[in-house]
Amino acid sequence: MAFNRWSIVIRNAISSSSKKNWFLGSAASSPASYSWRRSFAQNSVSSSSSSPSISSYHMSSGPSYMKGVVFWEPNKPLTIEEFHMPRPKAGEILIKTKACGVCHSDLHVIKGELPFASPCCVGHEITGEVVEHGPLTESRIIERFPVGAHVVGAFIMPCGSCFYCSKGQDDLCEAFFAYNRAHGTLYDGETRLFLRNSGKPIYMYSMGGLAEYCVVPAHGLCPLPNSLPYTESAILGCAVFTAYGAMAHAAEVRPGNAIAVIGIGGVGSSCLQIARAFGASEIIAVDVQDDKLQKAKTLGATHTVNALKEDAVEKIREITGGRGVDVAVEALGKPQTFLQCTQSVRDGGKAVMIGLTHSSARGEVDINRLVRRQIKIIGSYGGRARHDLPNLVKLAESGIFNLSASVSRKCKLEDVNKIYQELNEGSIIGRAVVEIM
């Protein structure tokens, strides 16, 4: 059967080598209370200390400054500013950014729907070239990522040392959430970005990928074969990475499973390809735009449902003989689709939530059905960089995951306001990528 063929192939592949459109909101910093399981004293610097000096943030050779995008506050356009050249510290690598994907998570920050430290540099799925290693970086890291190497970066950048990283759960890395997501810094409590004209620190959403150079913790990087293009491969670090985490770890998709994906954007369309690669027999794409549903058919969807024209839950049950799907994935981040996701699964099925939303949004669930019918509701933020990113590179290199079919728009750094506006309007089918080469 087809799904058996796909399962064998994937196992073999992995085992081988404008202002009116900026919405109102508030982007305040949200400090998190945090208790360490182990010491990070070697590189620890309090984020509440005096402003870090920029004196060391210059390379000994090459350019001393760069361009990058800055988000200042909600309802204001992004601007392109000049920065001092960022300098990596121990265990970090300076990357010359070649491409950066355009993601809804950035848009949530830009619209003030997700609290984040500002001003900041957004962009979090990148490809690029290794330029410099931080002082005292381990030799094995330097050997894996020599100067000039092509790399892809994951948006969840694991520290490699905390309680969860030591268990292989990079997607729950304590340092990433405590420092980067809570304060916009890397794991010594400091940003690597400073404006050239004033020295003002600029925070980092992940690595701050919408810039000519970025600093990334080495554990968040993976070598990128020369055979894979920089532009299309950028989506491996979030869109595909998020889809893989949902399918492999949260849903644990098995050959023959029936899958529904609600919301066919960059991440949702990646879920279709991953589900197909994992051997799902029925793959149902749900959206409200016919052009996205038409594209979904080329990415693995066996059925499509336009939720504006018919009841999505009823249609999913009709397709599955009245039972519902084994796994439903919500990739949009809306209370309505959250409910649809939980209602679409069979008894004992899994409803996997990967869509982010406004920080005040709440989802509704039928408690009695949840209890009586063993419905499992699982959140999934992304994949596990050290293990999953190399697998994704192999899937792309083998052609099992079609990168070129997933990227529908390309633009330059100067076009970021326009591209995020189009993303907000829902007019981008698949994924857009900013080329920074």
Side-chain angles (χ1 to χ4, degrees):
M1 294 180 69
F3 65 78
N4 285 327
R5 177 175 62 85
W6 275 111
S7 296
I8 293 170
V9 171
I10 189 173
R11 284 198 299 269
N12 289 340
I14 290 177
S15 63
S16 71
S17 195
S18 120
K19 291 188 182 181
K20 64 184 175 69
N21 289 301
W22 300 114
F23 289 53
L24 296 174
S26 173
S29 175
S30 177
S33 173
Y34 187 68
S35 175
W36 287 104
R37 301 274 311 201
R38 58 179 295 152
S39 171
F40 287 88
Q42 270 191 316
N43 297 308
S44 175
V45 178
S46 171
S47 61
S48 62
S49 62
S50 58
S51 296
S53 168
I54 64 170
S55 60
S56 64
Y57 284 77
H58 298 273
M59 296 172 63
S60 57
S61 62
S64 61
Y65 64 91
M66 68 168 189
K67 292 191 300 183
V69 170
V70 177
F71 160 73
W72 296 95
E73 59 181 294
N75 213 29
K76 299 287 185 181
L78 304 172
T79 62
I80 296 178
E81 307 289 343
E82 288 189 345
F83 293 80
H84 289 285
M85 183 62 63
R87 185 81 181 269
K89 297 187 180 182
E92 300 171 356
I93 299 179
L94 179 65
I95 304 299
K96 180 175 175 56
T97 314
K98 297 294 186 176
C100 181
V102 177
C103 180
H104 248 103
S105 297
D106 295 317
L107 186 61
H108 286 308
V109 171
I110 292 167
K111 292 167 66 176
E113 295 175 349
L114 282 179
F116 194 78
S118 63
C120 72
C121 182
V122 293
H124 57 270
E125 53 178 17
I126 61 108
T127 53
E129 178 183 330
V130 173
V131 173
E132 183 182 10
H133 307 95
L136 304 179
T137 294
E138 295 179 19
S139 59
R140 62 184 180 87
I141 292 176
I142 296 173
E143 291 169 2
R144 188 180 185 214
F145 301 108
V147 171
H150 297 193
V151 293
V152 57
F155 81 94
I156 299 177
M157 309 173 299
C159 69
S161 305
C162 70
F163 173 79
Y164 292 105
C165 284
S166 66
K167 293 164 65 69
Q169 295 177 283
D170 292 6
D171 48 331
L172 293 176
C173 174
E174 294 176 302
F176 173 75
F177 288 102
Y179 284 111
N180 190 265
R181 282 302 181 260
H183 298 290
T185 70
L186 293 186
Y187 307 150
D188 62 349
E190 293 183 359
T191 180
R192 303 295 180 263
L193 299 178
F194 301 87
L195 291 181
R196 184 188 184 197
N197 61 354
S198 65
K200 180 180 178 66
I202 301 296
Y203 299 106
M204 307 162 66
Y205 192 69
S206 290
M207 72 289 290
L210 282 173
E212 292 177 325
Y213 292 82
C214 61
V215 172
V216 188
H219 292 307
L221 293 169
C222 176
L224 185 71
N226 292 346
S227 59
L228 291 179
Y230 278 127
T231 299
E232 288 80 1
S233 298
I235 70 170
L236 291 171
C238 178
V240 188
F241 184 71
T242 302
Y244 188 91
M247 293 296 178
H249 305 305
E252 298 177 307
V253 172
R254 297 291 182 263
N257 279 172
I259 311 293
V261 180
I262 303 173
I264 310 301
V267 176
S269 59
S270 295
C271 285
L272 300 176
Q273 289 207 61
I274 297 296
R276 178 177 63 182
F278 280 13
S281 58
E282 292 172 305
I283 305 173
I284 306 168
V286 181
D287 206 280
V288 295
Q289 295 181 223
D290 285 332
D291 50 358
K292 291 185 177 182
L293 292 172
Q294 191 64 32
K295 179 70 174 179
K297 295 178 182 178
T298 70
L299 299 175
T302 59
H303 303 78
T304 60
V305 178
N306 188 318
L308 283 182
K309 299 177 181 179
E310 51 192 335
D311 185 296
V313 176
E314 289 184 2
K315 188 63 178 179
I316 289 171
R317 291 192 174 278
E318 176 187 320
I319 293 169
T320 56
R323 181 176 292 112
V325 291
D326 299 291
V327 175
V329 177
E330 199 283 338
L332 194 59
K334 293 184 178 297
Q336 179 184 0
T337 48
F338 180 98
L339 182 60
Q340 287 175 336
C341 185
T342 63
Q343 293 175 334
S344 298
V345 299
R346 63 168 175 80
D347 292 355
K350 297 177 181 179
V352 179
M353 309 299 171
I354 61 176
L356 293 176
T357 187
H358 194 288
S359 58
S360 65
R362 297 293 181 266
E364 180 183 341
V365 63
D366 182 337
I367 296 175
N368 287 338
R369 180 170 181 263
L370 178 79
V371 173
R372 291 171 173 168
R373 302 306 178 95
Q374 300 180 26
I375 306 302
K376 302 172 185 66
I377 300 177
I378 308 167
S380 180
Y381 192 41
R384 299 168 181 173
R386 291 176 294 174
H387 180 268
D388 295 343
L389 204 52
N391 287 344
L392 291 176
V393 168
K394 291 174 185 176
L395 290 180
E397 192 175 24
S398 68
I400 293 175
F401 191 97
N402 189 333
L403 289 171
S404 60
S406 300
V407 176
S408 59
R409 290 287 307 279
K410 302 174 185 179
C411 69
K412 300 300 181 183
L413 200 63
E414 293 74 19
D415 301 320
V416 289
N417 281 304
K418 179 181 178 183
I419 203 71
Y420 278 112
Q421 179 179 324
E422 292 178 7
L423 181 65
N424 186 55
E425 294 168 349
S427 59
I428 296 176
I429 299 172
R431 200 65 150 187
V433 177
V434 179
E435 296 179 311
I436 313 177
M437 292 177 273

